[in-house]
Structures are given as structure tokens and as C-alpha cells.
Amino acid sequence: MIQLDTNILIVGGGAFGTSTAYHLSQRGYKSIRVLDPYPPPSCEAAATDISKVIRSDYNEPIYASMGVESIQAWRSWKLFDGLFHEPGWILSAQSLSIPFVQSSISVGKKLGVRGIEQLSTDEMRERVPLIAGDLEGWNLNVWNPNAGWANAAEALRRMALAAQAHGVQYISGSEGAVARISYVGKRCDGVFTKNGCRHAADLVIMAAGAWSPSLIDCEGQLTAKGHAVAHIQLAPHEIEEFSAIPIMDNLELGYFFPCQEDGILKMAHSQFITNTKAIPNLDITTSVPHTFVQSPSDDLPLEIEATMRRNLARVFPQLSTRPFCYTRLCWDADTDDRHFLITSHPTYDGLFLATGGSAHGFKFLPVLGKYISDALEEKLAAERMRAWRWRAGEKVEIKNLAHMDPELELSKLSGWQNRKTGSGVVARL
């Protein structure tokens, strides 16, 4: 059990780390430091984005109920004033994700979520007249009016500022870039950063998202996965129409967000990418993020962009050849069963994990740290404790998961290296 004077070090300033810092500070903990290579909102965090989906559609009641709770917080907390927009969304599946969508319908109705409605493709067109494509692969479609999106980067920034106002210290730059964990026997006693500095701590909370599995040997429980994000700059006369669309998310093909005030339409590809590397100091091989912040001359693999444009043509063919004004590989740490990993390390005292966002953690930003704090104080509800436990070596046989497509290895994809240097390589539909 931690005490109010416990020296707490949080590795990572994304959704997990910042929400934990905020909630611990609200509970009166006096010594909290957050280490991240970048100041808040950390530009590499999966949570730092112009928009993230806020929804309660889940196949698991614990996440669906957390989604309902989070939506209430997004609507009502003064901290998030003006950041949550509620145009509703259409959740869709092609084939592999159909069981997930069907289970989400059932769970939502049991929770009393109102307005859930299954749509045919013709009904989708009636709801979204801008759809001009054939919607091939949009085979199961569910409308939920109680969903929307939040300005993710600004929400993360505001929560970090609120944590700092309660005494939390954020450390960035080379002194905030963690290189390895410090151990004395079977106890974790801090971290070493890339500038050679050692930060001592009574408790280290690993909340580094996609970087977690290369800092701690998680015994195969976490895999760093990236998914491709792109922005299209719309013309002024298109902004009003495209700002009125709902979020449209096909779990196997990709998603589209309503256009923002500046004319940016965000889209993404739903198949994930891995980047397998050896980690010598841990004597393991695992996927490691490769970002365009680290490598600014790189861009999306040609195969990925071509697939994104083909899906764009299925929905909004009028945009399918538009240039991308911004691209990103957004990295998170995925678990095989999509449950978070929020638990003490079974071997090292003083080491706690709060990670495994599995591409769905940000929406819980307002309340995620509450549950992590409960776990640290050993009062987390049993169902969540079991779901988020250390589970190395356990075989996953769940069939109704989102994102069931096999991952693509970055090194086996083409055209992404130095693509922004004017090589002229373009993706073909």
C-alpha cells in the first residue's frame, strides 16, 4: 500500500501517465514526477492528436460502463469545456470484426444506452448524403448518437496543467527520456535517463505506452503497434458539409472524422504495423515504435497509403486522390485480449504497470487515473483487477475482438524510408 509521502515516478506523459498523476495529486500524494521526452502534451503519445473517439460501444461491460462514465465527464467537467463534440458515430465491420460489433450492441442495450440502431448501407447514405462510394466492406453498421470526439492534445495538456497545479513535476528533454529501469536485487528503485541522470523513487509506474515493452520485459504481453493516420485539407466551400458528418469507423478498413473548423479531415487505416527489433539490455526481441518525429523524412508505406485511398474511394471517392497534408504512425501498446495491463510487477517490488491501451485508452482520460489509483491503493474492484492482471503465458482464445487483422511488419513494407525528401514515389490505388 502506498502512502501519501511515497516518492512516485511515472514514466510517460500520455493518457495513462497524466490521468494517474492528476488523480493521485487530487488524493493528496505529495511527491509525483512524470518523465517524458517531450513536454505536455507529449507529441509522441498516442493520446496527443487533434481528435479521438469518445464512445461506450464495447464487447466487455467493464469498458462499456467506463465509456458511459467518461462521456458524462467529457460533457460536464469544467476542465474539458469546449473540447467534446457529439456528432454520433457509425461503428462498422467487414467480416472479422462482426462479432465485436454484435457484442457491443448487446452490451450497450443492457447498459441502457439509448438510440443504438443498426443501419443498412442505404440508410447510411440517407444519414450521410455526402457518401458517394459503394461502401464495399461496410457490411454491419451501427449508429450510436451518444458518441463523439474530443480535442485530445488540448485535453491532455489541460489535465497535465491541472496536475502541475497540484504539485506534480513534469520533467522533459533528455532528462525525461528514460533509457532503462534501475534495480537493486528484486526491487525497482528508479530509472536512468538518456543523459545519464538517475531518478530515485519508492515507486515507478510504467505508463510509457508503446515504449513500455522495450523498457520492461513484459513476457510477450505487450506489442507496440502503429496505425497510419492522415489529414486532408478541404477547400473552404467543403468545410460546412464535411463538418456535419458523424464519425465513421470500419474496424477493418479505417475511420473518418468530421472536418474541423480549419478544414482538416482526419482519416486512418485500421490494420496495425509492427517494427521488430532486438533489445540487448533486456535480451529480448520486441516491436519498437518508429515515428515521424524521430525520422521526419519518412512517410507512410506505399501499400498502406494505397489501402487508405481505396477505402476513401469506397466512402468519399470525391476525396480519394487528394494529397495528404499530414501523416503519422500512431503507436500504442496492445495486449492480445485488448485488456489493459494495470498491476504490480510480479517479480520486482516498487514497479507498477499502467499501460496496454490497445488503441482504445484515451477516451477514458477523465477517469482512467481513478482506477489506476484504486489499484495502487489496493481497492480496485475484483472484476477489473482480474481483467488487468499480469497474465504472461496465458493463451487468448477470445473471438469477438476489434482489430483482428494480422499485423504488417514495417521492414516488409515499401517506400516509407526518406519518402519526404522528394523522391517522387507515390502510392497507386
Side-chain angles (χ1 to χ4, degrees):
M1 173 75 76
I2 60 174
Q3 306 297 322
L4 293 181
D5 61 352
T6 298
N7 184 352
I8 301 170
L9 191 63
I10 299 174
V11 180
F16 280 74
T18 293
S19 188
T20 300
Y22 172 82
H23 280 275
L24 286 175
S25 70
Q26 293 286 319
R27 296 185 186 197
Y29 290 89
K30 304 300 183 185
S31 178
I32 305 169
R33 289 164 293 160
V34 178
L35 301 185
D36 195 284
Y38 308 99
S42 175
C43 62
E44 295 275 48
T48 301
D49 207 335
I50 63 171
S51 57
K52 290 288 185 186
V53 175
I54 310 298
R55 44 95 173 182
S56 62
D57 302 85
Y58 275 98
N59 61 328
E60 290 277 356
I62 63 169
Y63 298 108
S65 61
M66 281 176 67
V68 171
E69 180 185 7
S70 296
I71 288 171
Q72 292 172 345
W74 284 110
R75 288 170 174 164
S76 62
W77 282 22
K78 185 174 178 57
L79 184 64
F80 302 125
D81 273 357
L83 300 186
F84 180 50
H85 308 268
E86 206 163 354
W89 86 322
I90 298 172
L91 174 63
S92 303
Q94 182 177 31
S95 57
L96 295 175
S97 297
I98 286 176
F100 175 88
V101 176
Q102 290 173 330
S103 297
S104 298
I105 297 170
S106 176
V107 170
K109 289 183 176 179
K110 287 179 181 177
L111 283 175
V113 177
R114 296 180 179 275
I116 297 174
E117 179 184 353
Q118 191 166 328
L119 302 177
S120 67
T121 52
D122 286 341
E123 289 168 331
M124 280 182 65
R125 290 189 181 90
E126 290 177 9
R127 192 174 293 272
V128 189
L130 281 172
I131 294 174
D134 59 14
L135 291 175
E136 179 189 357
W138 293 68
N139 296 332
L140 174 61
N141 310 292
V142 179
W143 164 253
N144 187 340
N146 309 286
W149 61 273
N151 180 333
E154 178 61 15
L156 194 64
R157 188 189 73 86
R158 289 188 192 179
M159 183 167 266
L161 288 175
Q164 288 172 301
H166 278 82
V168 175
Q169 182 183 8
Y170 273 73
I171 302 172
S172 58
S174 60
E175 193 178 347
V178 174
R180 61 186 178 90
I181 311 301
S182 176
Y183 302 100
V184 175
K186 294 297 183 182
R187 175 159 189 84
C188 171
D189 66 346
V191 303
F192 290 95
T193 51
K194 290 186 178 179
N195 67 346
C197 180
R198 179 178 177 273
H199 294 268
D202 301 320
L203 173 67
V204 173
I205 301 175
M206 177 54 61
W211 285 263
S212 299
S214 55
L215 290 170
I216 296 175
D217 182 1
C218 294
E219 301 179 27
Q221 294 175 93
L222 295 177
T223 303
K225 298 180 186 178
H227 74 274
V229 176
H231 297 174
I232 295 174
Q233 177 66 61
L234 299 182
H237 70 274
E238 298 171 311
I239 293 175
E240 183 176 356
E241 286 185 321
F242 276 96
S243 64
I245 68 172
I247 301 166
M248 300 173 61
D249 187 355
N250 187 308
L251 294 171
E252 293 155 83
L253 299 177
Y255 60 69
F256 307 98
F257 275 77
C259 171
Q260 299 203 359
E261 290 181 359
D262 58 4
I264 295 296
L265 185 143
K266 174 184 164 182
M267 60 177 292
H269 180 47
S270 291
Q271 192 168 10
F272 294 151
I273 294 172
T274 53
N275 181 43
T276 305
K277 302 289 182 182
I279 312 296
N281 65 303
L282 295 179
D283 195 27
I284 63 172
T285 298
T286 190
S287 178
V288 178
H290 180 91
T291 73
F292 300 157
V293 173
Q294 301 165 350
S295 303
S297 65
D298 291 346
D299 205 341
L300 300 179
L302 296 176
E303 299 91 337
I304 296 295
E305 180 175 338
T307 302
M308 293 174 74
R309 291 190 178 280
R310 282 194 294 270
N311 190 46
L312 190 55
R314 291 183 177 107
V315 185
F316 303 120
Q318 61 271 45
L319 303 179
S320 63
T321 59
R322 298 283 182 91
F324 292 159
C325 62
Y326 170 82
T327 55
R328 179 191 188 193
L329 287 179
C330 180
W331 292 85
D332 201 354
D334 280 25
T335 60
D336 287 345
D337 58 11
R338 312 298 188 266
H339 284 305
F340 302 152
L341 187 61
I342 300 175
T343 185
S344 296
H345 195 283
T347 303
Y348 297 103
D349 292 337
L351 180 58
F352 189 92
L353 290 91
T355 184
S358 303
H360 70 101
F362 171 81
K363 66 182 65 63
F364 307 120
L365 179 71
V367 302
L368 185 56
K370 178 185 75 171
Y371 292 103
I372 295 170
S373 298
D374 284 349
L376 287 164
E377 294 177 345
E378 299 178 6
K379 58 185 183 185
L380 185 67
E383 61 176 351
R384 299 186 194 279
M385 187 181 301
R386 185 181 186 285
W388 299 340
R389 71 193 183 282
W390 183 271
R391 47 197 186 276
E394 296 183 19
K395 188 176 180 180
V396 175
E397 296 182 347
I398 305 170
K399 301 300 183 184
N400 62 337
L401 297 175
H403 307 300
M404 295 287 287
D405 300 272
E407 295 82 29
L408 302 170
E409 180 65 24
L410 183 60
S411 64
K412 296 181 179 179
L413 299 172
S414 64
W416 52 272
Q417 291 179 302
N418 299 313
R419 190 177 165 200
K420 292 180 181 175
T421 59
S423 63
V425 179
V426 297
R428 298 184 181 276
L429 293 179

